[in-house]
Each structure stands twice: as C-alpha cells, then as structure tokens.
Amino acid sequence: MNTRNKDIPCLITIFGATGDLSHRKLFPSLFHLYQQENLNEHIAIIGIGRRDLTNDDFRNQVKSSIQEHVKDTKHLDKFITHIFYHKLDVTNKANYESLLEVSERLDQQFQLQGNRLFYLAMAPKFFGVISDCLKSAELTNTKGFKRLVIEKPFGSDLESAKVLNDQLRKSFSEEEIYRIDHYLGKDMVQNIEVLRFANAMFEPLWNNKYISNIQVTSSEKLGVEERGGYYDSNGALKDMVQNHMLQMVALLAMEPPISLNSEDIRAEKVKALKSLRMFENDKVRHNFVRGQYDASEIEGQPVQGYRDEDRVDNQSNTPTFVAGKLTIDNFRWAGVPFYIRTGKRMTSKTIQVVVEFKEVPMNLYYETDKKLDSNLLVINIQPNEGVSLHLNAKRNIQGIDTEPVQLSYAMSAQDKMNTVDAYENLLFDCLNGDATNFTHWEELKSTWKFVDAIQEEWDQHEPEFPNYKAGTNGPLESDLLLSKDGYHWWDGIN
Ligand code: BG6
C-alpha cells in the first residue's frame, strides 16, 4: 500500500456514464471523495454516453443521483462544475478525435498534468474496442499517467479472458489496468489482512493445527432483478465464485506478505490460489453443489422461480447457487476444508467468514455430557460490519457448566460515514496508483482455471433444477457437503 495522496490532478473519463453503475456508485463515490477533500479542484470528469444531452442535462441527472445516494450534499454545486458530458459512439474510431480535443482542453483548464483515468462502466463486449480506440486516437499518448479501470466479468472462461487481456495489453500495460472486484473495496474484506497480520493472537493459530474448517458465505435475498440476460449466461459460479468468493479465500489463506506493497501482497495471493486443488470428473460432484431457485414466498410475499424471471430461458440450467469444499494443498492448510457458499434468493443478505477452531485436546467440563461449543472467529462483512469471537465461559457459581459467550466489535456508524461505498475506496486507490485491491492477471488466470474445470464437468451432466425454494439456504446437498465431514454451516451466527 503506497502513501495516500489527496492532491492528484486527473481527468476521469467514464464510459457508460448514463448507466446504473455510474449513477448509483461512481458519481456518489466521486462526489464524496471531493467533499471529504480527497479530491481537489484539479479534477475533471467526462461522462460518455450515446444520448444527445447537454452538459446541463447531464449535470442535473448526476446531481439527482447524488442527492439520492449521499445524505450530506454540501459542496455539491461546486463539484458539479467539474462534470462534462460527451456524446460518443464507442465503436466508432473517428468519434474519438473529438474526445481527444475535449480532453486536452479540460486538461489545460483544470491543470490536470496529462493524468488520465478511463473507467469502462459498460458491457464487456466493448472493453476491447474502447481500449483500441483510445490508443489509435492517441488518448493514451499523454505526458501524465494513464490508467484503465474495468468492471467484471473479465471474460467468460480462461480462453476468452486471455483474448481480452491480450487486446487490452496493446494499449495499456498490466500495471495500468485496474480490474475491479468490488468486494476488495469492502472495509471488512480489507480488514481480513489487518486482523490476521496486526494481531499477535491469530496468526499463530492460523493453520491446520488449530483450525478445523473455514466457511465463506455470500448470500442474497434478491433474485436476478433486471439482470436476467447477463446472469443467465453466467450463473453463480462465474458471477460470484470466480471473483469475489475466491478473492476472499485467497486473503484468508495467503501467507504473510513481506510488506504491504501491492506486489508483495499479490505474490502471496497468487501462491494461495495456485495451491487450490483442481477438481475434475466425479471429484467435482463430490465437492461442489449447484442449485437454482424455485418459486416460493419471502417474508409473506410470493416470488417467482428463476426460470420465470425476465430475460431468462424457461428451461435454463444456470445455477443461482453454488456451494463448494475447497482444498488448499500446502503445509499450512493441508486437511482444512474451506467451504464456500453463494446464492440468490436465500434467507438473508449476508457476507460472512466463520473460522471454526478445533476442539480443545481434552474436555474437562464433561459433567453434563455436553460437547463444548467450538471457538469461532466470525468476520461480518455485511450487513453488520464487525468481528466476534465465540468462547466458552462458566455458566454459574456453583456448577462447572459452560456457556458460549461472545466478544464483539462492531464498526461504528462514525467509521462507516467515512466512505459511501467500496467504490469510493477503489477509486481513491486507483488515483493513487495503488493496485493492491484490484485483480491482477495472474490471479485471474488461476481463478478461471479452477472455475473452468468445474463448469466443464457440469456441462456434461444435466442438473435437476429447480432444486431449492426461494427464501431457503439452498439445496439439501449443500448441508450434506459439510455434515459428511462432521460440520455444519454456522447460519444465523453473528
Ligand atoms: C456482483 C454480482 O458482482 O455482486 C451480482 O454480479 C451480485 O450478481 C453482487 O448481486 C453482490 O454484491 P454485494 O456487494 O451486494 O454483495
């Protein structure tokens, strides 16, 4: 992690500036950075869209999105004067000349020192062509820094990811490409490293001698909403496991880095990902469970099944749920299962890590014949950000009964006020040239390889979908995955 600089002049060009991501996340985050003085006056933002809009039309739209998403709008009018609209058909090379002109003009006007950040908040099919056009129109030929920020999905398998990567690399070096995984911008995901490496009490226990299993869950109550078209050709494995879930596993499993430099952290993450055991053939069936939700009720309201969702094939075999048992083949983790689970239309919106410790070598408190509860370290990533440690303590004065007790730390509202969203952290990192919380190509290679092997096996066998009711925690096989090892999902724990 580099030193943070709040005074970085930059021209930020957002492709897809009239889209949902820009309005819900990017503009509110940029505004909040500005309001908190993490951006200064040497900043200009060009919003690119296809529609005919004037600067004023666009500024008004941005203003209302910010008002909707940020409570305190002090300095909003001043911030808005840094925003400009530019109409462009992103596939038409000739159009980029006018973008170059505007960019150069704004560079002079705001004294941006030639620093350029291009944010592609668009469908992946445009990533390659935009990056080619930026180069051919010489927008990448600048005296300051140039950086490309791209959203996921980065390819749909290793092969397509390679093709895309090769195309981007014609215009940007690996160091200039910032691949967003918004989970890496979440405060509590960033806290995994801090908890592990800034506390003397965890790292000595962080291995197969003391930990019995680790569970990583990201469950959602929502269905696919209006994203049926995208989702149906991806599914939970590609949408969540290939990126967010495996990134969290890498942070939990990696060795301590020699420094907080992004290269050092990344080297350890890549090593951890490379140690993931690859599953093939029937090993996939034994270690992975896929599911798809059926119609049911959530909180008394009827919800439709996945196959009836808008823009979803009514015979679709796309999984909306995945659970898996991951094995990390290295000295630290041999024998410790990492269970992962993610799905839509589950009981709650929860992102959580549960580290379950092994039993004490001998239970002295056997009087009631009751097994001692496992010690747990629970990292709550969302919604109630915080950490808790579950211990056993004495229940009453006379007896020797034990009861589980909990030491908890909850991130205060005050802490949370400092950022509006993970995107704010990531944009600030990117302006600072800090790639720690972005996905490197080496990480992508490992995660796609792992996911491709599972997908290949799944493609051979038709699943019996739908197989879980909306509003439940997935198919029964997900529970069996753990119970056959003598464990269970720690649902509802905080
Ligand atoms: C996105 C996925 O990357 O993450 C979505 O494409 C998913 O399908 C979302 O809903 C979940 O993000 P969060 O931050 O709400 O857990």
Side-chain angles (χ1 to χ4, degrees):
M1 220 174 289
N2 306 332
T3 355
R4 317 313 252 171
N5 189 344
K6 299 179 171 193
D7 297 315
I8 297 178
C10 191
L11 174 66
I12 303 177
T13 306
I14 303 181
F15 291 82
T18 52
D20 190 51
L21 177 74
S22 300
H23 282 272
R24 271 190 313 115
K25 304 284 185 185
L26 303 184
F27 286 113
S29 296
L30 286 167
F31 165 63
H32 202 246
L33 282 171
Y34 177 82
Q35 193 190 49
Q36 302 289 304
E37 296 179 4
N38 286 324
L39 290 180
N40 65 15
E41 298 305 323
H42 299 291
I43 202 90
I45 302 168
I46 305 180
I48 306 272
R50 286 183 69 118
R51 282 178 244 166
D52 253 327
L53 294 177
T54 63
N55 271 345
D56 282 343
D57 294 337
F58 185 60
R59 285 176 176 179
N60 285 335
Q61 289 180 5
V62 170
K63 219 169 150 178
S64 37
S65 316
I66 292 173
Q67 280 159 342
E68 198 181 316
H69 292 97
V70 187
K71 258 198 200 135
D72 174 7
T73 54
K74 199 166 75 191
H75 304 317
L76 180 54
D77 286 331
K78 217 160 133 225
F79 172 72
I80 285 293
T81 61
H82 292 258
I83 295 184
F84 302 84
Y85 182 74
H86 189 77
K87 183 183 166 195
L88 183 93
D89 169 4
V90 297
T91 59
N92 184 343
K93 268 190 186 169
N95 279 191
Y96 285 74
E97 278 167 26
S98 58
L99 180 60
L100 179 64
E101 271 170 37
V102 181
S103 302
E104 285 175 345
R105 182 168 48 76
L106 292 176
D107 196 298
Q108 293 224 326
Q109 186 182 336
F110 289 89
Q111 299 161 39
L112 305 176
Q113 300 177 20
N115 292 333
R116 291 183 185 159
L117 191 154
F118 303 100
Y119 198 119
L120 309 192
M122 292 196 66
K125 64 177 182 208
F126 297 115
F127 293 168
V129 65
I130 295 176
S131 134
D132 284 352
C133 290
L134 289 174
K135 180 167 178 166
S136 61
E138 302 212 341
L139 274 140
T140 51
N141 190 2
T142 178
K143 64 179 191 311
F145 65 67
K146 62 177 198 296
R147 293 179 188 143
L148 182 74
V149 187
I150 40 180
E151 281 292 327
K152 67 175 252 283
F154 197 95
S156 55
D157 54 17
L158 181 56
E159 209 34 57
S160 54
K162 269 188 189 152
V163 172
L164 173 59
N165 202 48
D166 289 347
Q167 190 172 10
L168 299 183
R169 290 292 297 277
K170 285 193 266 160
S171 313
F172 294 88
S173 70
E174 174 61 31
E175 289 65 42
E176 292 169 333
I177 302 176
Y178 288 71
R179 301 179 191 83
I180 293 261
D181 182 315
H182 77 280
Y183 271 44
L184 295 179
K186 291 184 191 280
D187 287 318
M188 287 309 297
V189 171
Q190 297 189 354
N191 241 318
I192 294 175
E193 259 172 80
V194 185
L195 267 177
R196 286 190 56 193
F197 305 131
N199 293 297
M201 61 193 287
F202 293 126
E203 202 45 32
L205 306 182
W206 210 259
N207 56 51
N208 51 10
K209 286 197 192 71
Y210 299 100
I211 290 177
S212 68
N213 72 93
I214 295 186
Q215 305 178 7
V216 186
T217 297
S218 173
S219 62
E220 294 182 80
K221 241 188 190 162
L222 294 177
V224 287
E225 310 303 291
E226 66 289 346
R227 292 166 73 231
Y230 150 79
Y231 195 87
D232 207 35
S233 45
N234 286 278
L237 184 66
K238 296 181 179 187
D239 185 50
M240 294 292 292
V241 175
Q242 182 269 329
N243 35 71
H244 312 320
M245 302 303 285
L246 291 179
Q247 283 291 338
M248 289 194 282
V249 168
L251 290 170
L252 290 160
M254 72 187 207
E255 293 298 314
I258 55 168
S259 84
L260 291 183
N261 274 337
S262 39
E263 294 77 28
D264 293 331
I265 295 179
R266 176 172 309 136
E268 297 307 336
K269 281 172 69 190
V270 170
K271 260 198 263 165
L273 291 169
K274 283 189 174 161
S275 321
L276 277 175
R277 188 180 301 172
M278 297 280 294
F279 293 119
E280 279 168 357
N281 309 326
D282 59 336
K283 292 272 179 349
V284 171
R285 240 167 306 137
H286 289 134
N287 292 288
F288 277 84
V289 174
R290 52 181 160 163
Q292 188 191 77
Y293 61 83
D294 200 357
S296 188
E297 281 192 355
I298 296 187
E299 286 161 4
Q301 297 301 314
V303 293
Q304 59 188 358
Y306 175 70
R307 288 178 176 178
D308 294 324
E309 299 276 13
D310 196 21
R311 281 178 287 158
V312 167
D313 178 355
N314 60 11
Q315 298 293 314
S316 174
N317 280 330
T318 299
T320 59
F321 174 96
V322 176
K325 174 181 170 181
L326 275 48
T327 302
I328 299 181
D329 287 325
N330 63 21
F331 255 64
R332 185 187 283 263
W333 294 117
V336 181
F338 279 63
Y339 300 106
I340 58 167
R341 176 177 57 161
T342 182
K344 297 208 180 274
R345 287 279 187 238
M346 293 174 63
T347 38
S348 63
K349 168 72 194 169
T350 306
I351 312 175
Q352 189 179 61
V353 174
V354 179
V355 179
E356 182 170 350
F357 290 87
K358 289 189 171 170
E359 287 174 28
V360 287
M362 187 176 109
N363 181 1
L364 294 168
Y365 302 91
Y366 53 83
E367 198 175 60
T368 54
D369 221 16
K370 196 185 106 215
K371 233 177 122 228
L372 284 173
D373 280 50
S374 297
N375 288 151
L376 304 175
L377 171 69
V378 181
I379 306 173
N380 286 310
I381 296 164
Q382 248 167 292
N384 307 311
E385 289 125 297
V387 184
S388 65
L389 198 52
H390 294 241
L391 308 170
N392 291 304
K394 196 168 176 337
R395 188 198 291 274
N396 51 33
I397 302 178
Q398 292 86 20
I400 55 164
D401 279 1
T402 62
E403 69 177 344
V405 294
Q406 198 174 323
L407 307 181
S408 300
Y409 154 71
M411 236 172 135
S412 68
Q414 187 62 35
D415 297 332
K416 279 187 262 174
M417 264 170 54
N418 292 331
T419 55
V420 285
D421 195 84
Y423 275 90
E424 185 176 336
N425 293 337
L426 294 174
L427 281 162
F428 190 55
D429 284 355
C430 182
L431 284 166
N432 269 280
D434 182 349
T436 313
N437 294 313
F438 294 82
T439 315
H440 192 270
W441 172 239
E442 284 303 316
E443 297 169 52
L444 266 177
K445 269 202 312 205
S446 299
T447 53
W448 271 127
K449 215 165 138 199
F450 182 78
V451 157
D452 281 355
I454 299 165
Q455 186 66 54
E456 210 170 286
E457 174 61 16
W458 281 356
D459 288 344
Q460 315 285 322
H461 308 274
E462 200 168 318
E464 286 177 22
F465 281 170
N467 61 350
Y468 72 97
K469 279 200 179 336
T472 66
N473 272 343
L476 178 67
E477 288 76 15
S478 156
D479 294 332
L480 298 179
L481 192 65
L482 276 71
S483 62
K484 68 185 182 208
D485 294 340
Y487 305 125
H488 61 85
W489 291 109
W490 287 98
D491 285 330
I493 201 131
N494 271 302

